[in-house]
Structures are given as structure tokens and as C-alpha cells.
Amino acid sequence: MATAVEIVSFGYLHGAPPAAHLTIDLRHHFRDPHVSPELRYMTADDEPVRTAVLNTPGITDLVDATVTAVAAFASGPSAGTVTVADGCAGGRHRAPTFARALAERLSAAGYGVEICHRDMDKDVVQH
């Protein structure tokens, strides 16, 4: 039976991070698409946002590293769902794009994946 993985994307500006085994903070090391006026009101549902995020240096390396971390949690003696939370400022661009990339990689590796975008549909936070 495949290990279950729950991925929750969120925005720190909308509240505390959800409880998780592993929390990835995307705020400070990866460019925020929010700073580009043409991307500000889009979300990870829009191709230009996904392209901008996934072409950011380091993002795919972080996805790979997170897959490795999930495998380490899953190999431990305790059975159960591994929860990964990944957050950015508003939860509309980087976090859901990262979550989807991670879900794709984990699914391909045989994990059962559920994904939740806690804040992607919330209003843009002006910061």
C-alpha cells in the first residue's frame, strides 16, 4: 500500500501555517510573482504564474529535496499520512505551484497524494 501524502499550500498573510511534518517557507528565497503587475491578480491556475514560479532558480531543486524528505518520513517506523505544508506570502502563486509540482513528482513515485490550496482563492493581499 502506498504511503499517503497530504500537501497543503497556504499564505502566511492569511494565518498560521497548518500543522505538518514538514513546512516549506517560500517567502524569502524565491521571487514573488506578486511584484509583477501582470501576474498579481492571477493564481497558480494561470499558466504565466506557473511558468514564472517553476522557472525560478532553485524551485525544482527544492521539489526534489522535498520528495527525498517525504521518503525519509515515509520510511520511518510510524505508519500514517505524511503532511507537507508549503507557504508563500499570499498563497496564490508560489505555494500552490510548488504544491502541484511536488504532488506530480510524488504521484509518479507511487505515493497517494491529496492536495489542498488553503488560501489560493482568497483576495490579493496588498503588501
Side-chain angles (χ1 to χ4, degrees):
M1 185 165 125
T3 298
V5 179
E6 177 186 23
I7 303 169
V8 182
S9 73
F10 68 96
Y12 284 92
L13 296 173
H14 294 290
H21 298 96
L22 183 62
T23 301
I24 308 295
D25 186 343
L26 301 169
R27 291 177 293 178
H28 303 292
H29 296 285
F30 303 102
R31 186 176 183 274
D32 187 354
H34 178 93
V35 302
S36 300
E38 68 276 11
L39 301 178
R40 182 168 299 145
Y41 292 95
M42 293 182 182
T43 70
D45 285 338
D46 298 297
E47 183 60 37
V49 168
R50 291 191 304 273
T51 298
V53 172
L54 294 174
N55 286 334
T56 301
I59 285 287
T60 57
D61 291 337
L62 186 56
V63 169
D64 293 344
T66 306
V67 169
T68 300
V70 167
F73 277 101
S75 70
S78 299
T81 300
V82 175
T83 303
V84 178
D86 71 294
C88 59
R92 296 171 49 90
H93 302 107
R94 292 168 288 182
T97 300
F98 181 90
R100 288 175 177 167
L102 178 60
E104 184 177 299
R105 285 287 315 284
L106 290 169
S107 293
Y111 292 92
V113 179
E114 288 187 25
I115 190 167
C116 169
H117 303 297
R118 185 185 84 179
D119 301 322
M120 189 169 77
D121 295 326
K122 292 186 177 167
D123 290 339
V124 170
V125 175
Q126 301 300 330
H127 60 90

